[in-house]
Amino acid sequence: MRNIHRVLVFPAWQDNPYLNMMSLAPRASGYEFKGVTTFDSLSNASRLLGASDVLHVHWTDPIVQRAASVSEANDRLSRFVELLDGLRDRGGRLIWTVHNRFPHEVLYRDVEVALYRLLAERADAIHIMSPDTPAMLADTCDLPADRTVRIPHPSYLGVYGVPPSRADARRELGLDEDVPTALFFGQMRPYKGLQTLIDAVRRIADSGRAAPALLLAGSATAEAKEEISAAVGSDLKMVTHFGFVPDSDLGKWFAAADIAVFPYRAILNSGSLHLAAAFRTPVILPGEPHLVRQYDDEHWVQFFDPSNSVDSMVRLLSEPPRSIDASQFDAFNERNSPWKITRAYAGLLDRLSSATVLEH
């Protein structure tokens, strides 16, 4: 019987479906997973990692961006260097998953750049999902090709169960069957560009055409809710759920939507796109070159022009819906099935656990 290796995941929230899907195959083959969410808990838990154990860093925000000052951020970075030194000395391994080109809300940019460069230098494996990730990070850090491994984002097919029918979903949300709808799903944060969608729907309504009803589901601060209400006004149709959407209700929003719109201002990987695909809901994304290269072959994905975002989105939302066969979603979901992706991750852990520690 082979030794059981430990994987410390940071930051890890128990209800995060992405992290849960990724760990399925490794857990089944005997890996022991532990997750922590704060920098202090990471410092304590990492000391328990020994030879061939793995520290897997996902989102970097809690390391230096939660500091109260730039001085504290630099101190945290120094402590993180010591943490990695200790991990290496004990024979542990480091994986870094690059989720974002940069954290969405950065207080200490220079310190974050130093952190990215440290992770790129020290990681035994750099996990990317988008093939353009090295190029997208080239102005921040170099991702060595010999330590970079691409494992795509998994599909969410089957994770949230079978959604209700379109008719039932719309009935629950108080929508008529023939009302066009555009869904924005996720946290209502500035970088996600929700104002672009609202402005486009407003312009359609002002032109006298049938504007889509806005379906807005996701957490929002009190300030964000006030801004959204003021922007939408009383004349646009809007159905909202400002808060955590339970897993059992998630499918209802996608089933009721004609299209899901993700007007992000900055995006590297889109888990929301995979969520929409699982529910066979067409998607509008920003026409960033790396996204177009990655998803242009998917007939259910359309792109708005980021340089003329409102006009471009007006055109897309005003066009007749595309004829999309369900098999096109099915092919995408099958290529990225959770079991395929988690087995690829298990293979990466196996290679690192059995390999000689490299000096970077």
Side-chain angles (χ1 to χ4, degrees), residues 2-6 24-33 350:
R2 73 169 182 81
N3 293 329
I4 294 178
H5 300 303
R6 288 170 290 188
L24 289 174
R27 287 180 187 273
S29 64
Y31 284 87
E32 178 184 297
F33 276 73
D350 287 344

Side-chain angles (χ1 to χ4, degrees), residues 86-104:
L87 178 70
R88 180 186 56 200
D89 292 344
R90 294 189 301 274
R93 315 293 199 255
L94 172 65
I95 299 176
W96 175 31
T97 292
V98 185
H99 287 273
N100 305 306
R101 184 180 178 276
F102 223 56
H104 299 303

Side-chain angles (χ1 to χ4, degrees), residues 39 63 74-88 114-115 118 122:
F39 183 62
I63 298 176
N74 279 304
D75 178 66
R76 282 170 167 247
L77 180 61
S78 297
R79 289 168 55 197
F80 189 63
V81 171
E82 294 175 1
L83 183 157
L84 296 185
D85 287 344
L87 178 70
R88 180 186 56 200
L115 173 59
L118 174 68
R122 294 289 193 90

Side-chain angles (χ1 to χ4, degrees), residues 14 28 67 70 73 80 95 106 109 115 127 129 135 215 218 224 230 247 269 280 309 335 337 340:
Q14 290 184 350
V70 66
F80 189 63
I95 299 176
V106 177
R109 183 178 182 84
L115 173 59
H127 167 216
M129 289 174 275
L215 308 183
D247 290 356
N269 303 290
R280 296 176 173 173
S309 56
R335 285 197 307 275
S337 73
K340 284 183 179 178

